Amino acid sequence: MDKVGVWLIGARGSVATTATAGAAAIKAGLAPPQGCVTESPNFPATLVPLAGLVFGGHDITETPLRKRAEQLGRAGVVPPHLPDLIAADLDAADAEIRPGHVPGDVPGDRDQAAAAARLGDDIAAFRTRHHLARVVVVNVSSTEPPAADRPEFARLADLEERLAAGDDVLPPSSLYAYAAFQAGCGYVEFTPSTGPTLPALAELAALRQVPYAGRDGKTGETLVKSALAPMFASRALRVRSWSGLNLLGGGDGATLADPAARSSKQLSKDQVVAGVFDEPVEGQTHIDFVADLGEWKTAWDHVTFEGFLGVRMALQFTWQGCDSALAAPLVLDLARLVARAHEKGRHGPLPELGYFFKNPLGGGEHALAAQYARLRAFAEELS
Amino acid sequence: MDKVGVWLIGARGSVATTATAGAAAIKAGLAPPQGCVTESPNFPATLVPLAGLVFGGHDITETPLRKRAEQLGRAGVVPPHLPDLIAADLDAADAEIRPGHVPGDVPGDRDQAAAAARLGDDIAAFRTRHHLARVVVVNVSSTEPPAADRPEFARLADLEERLAAGDDVLPPSSLYAYAAFQAGCGYVEFTPSTGPTLPALAELAALRQVPYAGRDGKTGETLVKSALAPMFASRALRVRSWSGLNLLGGGDGATLADPAARSSKQLSKDQVVAGVFDEPVEGQTHIDFVADLGEWKTAWDHVTFEGFLGVRMALQFTWQGCDSALAAPLVLDLARLVARAHEKGRHGPLPELGYFFKNPLGGGEHALAAQYARLRAFAEELS
Amino acid sequence: MDKVGVWLIGARGSVATTATAGAAAIKAGLAPPQGCVTESPNFPATLVPLAGLVFGGHDITETPLRKRAEQLGRAGVVPPHLPDLIAADLDAADAEIRPGHVPGDVPGDRDQAAAAARLGDDIAAFRTRHHLARVVVVNVSSTEPPAADRPEFARLADLEERLAAGDDVLPPSSLYAYAAFQAGCGYVEFTPSTGPTLPALAELAALRQVPYAGRDGKTGETLVKSALAPMFASRALRVRSWSGLNLLGGGDGATLADPAARSSKQLSKDQVVAGVFDEPVEGQTHIDFVADLGEWKTAWDHVTFEGFLGVRMALQFTWQGCDSALAAPLVLDLARLVARAHEKGRHGPLPELGYFFKNPLGGGEHALAAQYARLRAFAEELS
Amino acid sequence: MDKVGVWLIGARGSVATTATAGAAAIKAGLAPPQGCVTESPNFPATLVPLAGLVFGGHDITETPLRKRAEQLGRAGVVPPHLPDLIAADLDAADAEIRPGHVPGDVPGDRDQAAAAARLGDDIAAFRTRHHLARVVVVNVSSTEPPAADRPEFARLADLEERLAAGDDVLPPSSLYAYAAFQAGCGYVEFTPSTGPTLPALAELAALRQVPYAGRDGKTGETLVKSALAPMFASRALRVRSWSGLNLLGGGDGATLADPAARSSKQLSKDQVVAGVFDEPVEGQTHIDFVADLGEWKTAWDHVTFEGFLGVRMALQFTWQGCDSALAAPLVLDLARLVARAHEKGRHGPLPELGYFFKNPLGGGEHALAAQYARLRAFAEELS
Ligand SMILES: NC(=O)c1ccc[n+]([C@@H]2O[C@H](COP(=O)([O-])OP(=O)(O)OC[C@H]3O[C@@H](n4cnc5c(N)ncnc54)[C@H](O)[C@@H]3O)[C@@H](O)[C@H]2O)c1
Ligand SMILES: NC(=O)c1ccc[n+]([C@@H]2O[C@H](COP(=O)([O-])OP(=O)(O)OC[C@H]3O[C@@H](n4cnc5c(N)ncnc54)[C@H](O)[C@@H]3O)[C@@H](O)[C@H]2O)c1
Ligand SMILES: NC(=O)c1ccc[n+]([C@@H]2O[C@H](COP(=O)([O-])OP(=O)(O)OC[C@H]3O[C@@H](n4cnc5c(N)ncnc54)[C@H](O)[C@@H]3O)[C@@H](O)[C@H]2O)c1
Ligand SMILES: NC(=O)c1ccc[n+]([C@@H]2O[C@H](COP(=O)([O-])OP(=O)(O)OC[C@H]3O[C@@H](n4cnc5c(N)ncnc54)[C@H](O)[C@@H]3O)[C@@H](O)[C@H]2O)c1
Ligand code: NA
Ligand code: NA
């Protein structure tokens, strides 16, 4: 069967390293494919097997993948002895990591136009070198602040005119999406960053006939929200407030300690409650960086609701998860599904993949079970 | 439109009183129909309106319904001033309550055969007196211990032979179901008691062409379980343990303080986890009577699960609900749905109503969203 | 025995109304003195009895106390039928409420100097009218933002010079403290506002020989913190992070929805952890206004700590309290204790009352049990 | 300085192995003495230094200590690489472990009299071999069921008569205490087992002039209880119910899966609430074995209480601890304190050590802060 490339933006981050290490471990029979949605018997065999995935990517740090994996081993994200057992695969993936684009970095790319060309060439060369049928670019790099709107985002021609003029107008995630589309690759926006959501980029994806999906992988508190909110709705229980506090460490936590980046994540997290209920629901979602939690997250949610004859009741939950372990298998799922959709001729946003995201591109349901039913139907179509 | 009777076994209990009071409050425009599933726009207008329900029932206590409602007002289950405002409706329902059957009570019914005849006559007379198209019998009386199996439960002929011989072989809930079926009524087993689950009674329901549904209304901890368990399953997260502690006061709590009655409830509660996951899951569900909680319940559940590369994670939730306020609107929903199914010629168990129960009769899914989809399809068929 | 006046700043607020209503209820034998620390047998009989307290105060709203009490009855803070039973006491207290000072309110007091004189006269007239041995002024008005420092706060002479010049330099709470001291009254700062904490006011208290205590009543999350933090400390368990989210409705919650007021409260809440542990501890405390919670508060705290050989562990708690019901009896306790201290010749800050406060004036321990031991010793001295 | 022996009954269990490994790690400078109460500057320098402790003991399994330590390394109780670094110390301690007494084991000790003599000889030989000033015997073996009372437990003479007659009347823990006392050693009952609590053994301890302490190390849920219960008491808040569910894996959890052993632990856990409050408090404490939790414990407690004017409030907490990591340093603390008390001539029960126990022998307070104050005063006396 054809091999498929997984090109990770942020290839040396926690999620990327866990995904790369995990695929190697499963291929070597060292771990079962737990946490991989598409490995369940509910999914057709036409998806590329996990062993058929080849890894590469862009990053702006130089820490070798093997060292990152060892750090994750000490942090309990991957089994401590795993990195040694899959060292060859890690080194192979490491050899495929190219320098990312640092906005405003003088010795790097001259301007965004040059950067886009260079990034696209990196991906195309990877595809050729490994004789890959297709490459899916997955953004798992640090979350950006929300981007201010600009007139040239509305049309591809205007955007390309600005880029050609040497202006740096795109947020990094959108630059990566631009490069991916130009290189004829499907794209997954796993972060809450802007990525492919600009109209100009939707135009480009249509032009290049490439599919994309996003935004912001749904792995923890929001996952639970999307399972619980429909319960209240179907029971005609009126949710009055939904409040939450997320405590997390790790690289992602450190990034989100910056209020600008945090606001991207908070906007994303608020979609589910707003999407499931008709009436407005009070409450805020806080995100705190707590270095001591390392790669772990603890989230507490508190919900008040009104039932028969106005009686007030409450539900609270505490979620204790390892974000990278939750996200990594979804990266593999998404790469397989987007590659197959690409192969079958789908292009533009894939709302059928809303199951995986806090803020589904292309619209659609926020209720988890409905999203899953839609995902399974989509997988059926792809078979 | 035709009126429908709701005949409540345990008509003076918390759930029954709240259902009776709530229907009156909604009819009088004193409260919105919050908590009523079938009042949502997702349901067809062919169901009997709430104002078309007429209440009566059996109970073994004599506390007038108005007094019970006032107690529930003080306990915060119904608004404190409501009982006064709907006194006429409460008194009307109270006038329709007949003595229940107390097993082994000498001055009462001679034997179970006599009791069944008398109970059935009470229901039939209620139907005639109010010119009701149909009556649905709903068991909301105290939970019984699980019944030991007996050979005569297997066939109706054998059962009736034993009853004719003056033997008292049925648990009370099954006696009520027997009387209901004989009187040509649909039946809802809202408790975890045996009720209509004996093969002999299934035979009788088929003979009389009456529908029935059950068992054990799903209103709190188990409701949340059935929303969350499918989340783990679809994400391929392997649940390893699920433990729970339910603290509750009230009449139901007092009944469940008895280990025999409690075991019926525990068996019922364990269905969801076993029903959703393929592998066995460790853990117990405890039920404690805590008088100080009054009509309120607090339940804590703790779940451990394994994700990608074997990483261990945990979820815990605390549910703080008012059981009667959660159960009462479902009693109204079930009466409407079973009446309509009866009208449309359905008989035997109604697995399409599994959404309402911890332990759905007639088989079917335990995943809440799937149950809701099935319920909506069923309501569509009934329209 | 001599009567003692309790002059409440914010006399129509939730805490003040609950304190006034509760004292009347206990006096009338309608409720036991639960929640009153000084009613325990551990306290000497030399304190003024609850029945010897006379209530009055300042407020800037006009809602009659009886109406406020009825609102609190509907909200579940006081028994719903209580306000009727103690109507005479509520009306008597209501008749003793005088207009508070609204900063910058033109038709009111000309300037702060005039206001201070008028407020002090109100208190003195109350004392005379009721033949009170002593009056204790207790600030339970809305929390103010932290006050910026000013040079004239350092010395009484400078402060009075500015006031005499018609300058409005004091935050309202400090104006009340100034008026109280000038009127020869003890003062309790039950809020996190500036109140008596300016050096110029300490000078004045010394001059007038009056005692004072504060700051910010310790009634919920912080109370639990001060009970738990010493547990970790004595066990040599190293606390690494302490995070919290407070959800509250009510008037206090509405005030704290303003970030400026909220910062006063947050500063106050952070004292305990900083006070108990030697090393810095990570983590933030959030306060959210959730109108749906009414007079109730839910707080969640999450603590990570390190034990033997560096093993990481965690504790979390959820507190569900009714703030006014927790605060009101402490207002009575404080009035009794400060009155007695005044009688016994104590003046200046009373660090022995640190047990009652998040941020004890005059220094001292943050560990709850140590504070209680000190309180008991102090009460002994006062006997 | 003199060396002190720590003779562990259950020397190959989790607690014993962690204590032995931890002492070695601290001695080698590989870990700070976190979790050791007596290492805080609040304690006098007259206690034997951790480096002066020598380890040995009895056990009935043969798994070498190094292997047990490696298992605990994989389970996250001790750092994974520690066992290798302290292999020599582990092997030295392992060489000092002698076969424990298995009740009714034919090839082992002939009868309890013989066993007691043999066990005492083992301890005495250890003392001689290592030139130890003193040995403290600490029982950290599996919890026993509560022992039925017997007439001969009342007097030493009667007990010894029965033993001399070849009757096996003592529960194992009491046999170990008997042997320890006979060998002139202080004794710590760290489990909820009977141990030294028989009057006949108190007589023996007096005769041999040896001190002892116990029962049942206070390390988790009960520790938190003893910090929180006094908070409610001093605030005059009336606790109405206290319920708990403990989930634990490990060897201790497996032992407590047996209802008989569990009842010893439950009795012990119920002491605090009963000891702090005057009125009876509703509620049960459950203990469930959940293998998946490994060496970790999760406990949830739910408390309802009544405040001013009867308002109901609630507190809940979740404790997530590693029991062995919490217990091990206390074993070291107790050995040091009992050794020093022995040296200073103290004998009989040491109620001053109640801080360490769920069920303090010799009586005394259950409030944690009061226990700590008493412990510090005791340590002062010993200096
Ligand atoms: N883990 C989850 O559960 C989850 C869920 C949803 C979304 N996400 C998102 O996934 C992303 C990755 O999370 P993580 O925990 O791996 O974070 P991380 O901090 O460990 O990794 C981010 C990586 O991105 C790299 N990077 C930063 N800027 C870059 C640039 N301009 N070009 C290329 N690489 C760049 C960094 O060097 C780093 O290696 C975050 O945006 C996070 O919000 C994660
Ligand atoms: N409230 C919920 O959320 C919920 C959910 C599922 C099931 N249930 C079940 O509903 C039932 C009712 O709960 P409740 O809280 O109203 O209890 P309750 O104790 O308040 O009421 C039970 C009533 O049944 C009556 N009764 C007892 N034996 C009877 C007999 N032989 N014949 C006729 N009446 C009899 C009692 O007198 C009482 O009035 C219980 O079995 C409970 O387990 C309740
Ligand atoms: N309830 C608790 O547990 C608790 C604990 C610690 C501190 N506090 C503090 O106690 C205070 C009162 O809390 P509450 O819940 O009663 O609030 P509330 O909003 O119900 O009452 C505040 C009252 O103060 C009055 N007020 C506002 N400005 C005033 C002024 N300049 N002069 C006179 N009166 C004025 C308001 O009109 C209102 O009646 C708050 O500052 C709160 O932070 C409460
Ligand atoms: N860990 C804590 O926080 C804590 C707190 C209080 C009490 N305890 C008690 O400490 C004890 C040890 O706990 P653990 O987790 O180490 O248990 P564990 O099961 O790991 O170890 C118990 C050890 O005792 C040995 N043993 C059993 N019977 C024996 C006998 N007759 N003679 C000698 N050895 C025997 C076993 O072989 C095993 O090695 C338990 O009784 C537990 O209840 C532990
Ligand atoms: Na919406
Ligand atoms: Na199953």
Side-chain angles (χ1 to χ4, degrees), chain A residues 240-241 243-245 247 282 284 286 288-293 298 300 302 304 312 316 318 320, chain C residues 240-241 243-245 247 282 284 286 288-293 298 300 302 304 312 316 318 320:
Chain A
R240 301 301 304 266
S241 74
S243 307
L245 175 55
L247 309 173
E282 264 196 294
Q284 299 171 52
H286 302 270
D288 282 10
F289 175 57
V290 177
D292 189 54
L293 289 174
T298 296
W300 178 73
H302 181 265
T304 60
R312 297 303 166 96
Q316 51 187 286
T318 302
Q320 294 171 305
Chain C
R240 301 300 303 266
S241 74
S243 307
L245 175 55
L247 309 173
E282 265 195 292
Q284 300 171 53
H286 302 271
D288 281 10
F289 175 58
V290 176
D292 189 55
L293 289 174
T298 295
W300 178 71
H302 182 266
T304 59
R312 296 303 166 96
Q316 51 187 289
T318 301
Q320 295 172 304

Side-chain angles (χ1 to χ4, degrees), chain A residues 167-335:
Chain A
D167 290 343
D168 291 358
V169 296
L170 289 172
S173 57
S174 301
L175 185 72
Y176 283 111
Y178 179 82
F181 291 166
Q182 289 289 21
C185 297
Y187 181 93
V188 175
E189 185 53 66
F190 202 80
T191 84
S193 303
T194 313
T197 62
L198 308 175
L201 295 183
E203 224 182 291
L204 179 60
L207 201 71
R208 297 287 175 201
Q209 302 274 302
V210 288
Y212 60 94
R215 237 185 345 168
D216 205 4
K218 182 159 76 174
T219 52
E221 184 208 26
T222 316
L223 176 67
V224 181
K225 272 184 174 170
S226 71
L228 286 176
M231 172 190 84
F232 293 110
S234 79
R235 281 285 162 113
L237 299 167
R238 198 171 153 216
V239 170
R240 301 301 304 266
S241 74
W242 198 308
S243 307
L245 175 55
N246 288 266
L247 309 173
L248 73 167
D252 193 23
T255 301
L256 299 176
D258 169 24
R262 192 161 63 228
S263 74
S264 293
K265 190 61 102 178
Q266 278 164 327
L267 285 173
S268 192
K269 277 178 165 290
D270 288 346
Q271 304 295 319
V272 171
V273 168
V276 171
F277 303 113
D278 297 330
E279 287 183 299
V281 171
E282 264 196 294
Q284 299 171 52
T285 304
H286 302 270
I287 304 176
D288 282 10
F289 175 57
V290 177
D292 189 54
L293 289 174
E295 296 286 331
W296 290 77
K297 173 197 280 172
T298 296
W300 178 73
D301 270 41
H302 181 265
V303 187
T304 60
F305 59 98
E306 209 180 299
F308 203 51
L309 303 177
V311 170
R312 297 303 166 96
M313 301 178 261
L315 171 70
Q316 51 187 286
F317 68 83
T318 302
W319 168 266
Q320 294 171 305
C322 176
D323 270 1
S324 301
L326 290 159
L330 306 187
V331 166
L332 306 179
D333 288 324
L334 284 161

Side-chain angles (χ1 to χ4, degrees), chain B residues 218 222-223 225-230 268-277 354-355 357-361 363-371:
Chain B
K218 182 160 76 174
T222 317
L223 175 67
K225 271 184 175 171
S226 70
L228 287 176
S268 192
K269 277 177 166 291
D270 289 345
Q271 304 295 320
V272 172
V273 167
V276 171
F277 302 113
Y355 172 74
F357 298 108
K358 294 194 188 77
N359 188 2
L361 294 184
E365 287 257 27
H366 281 276
L368 188 72
Q371 290 175 327

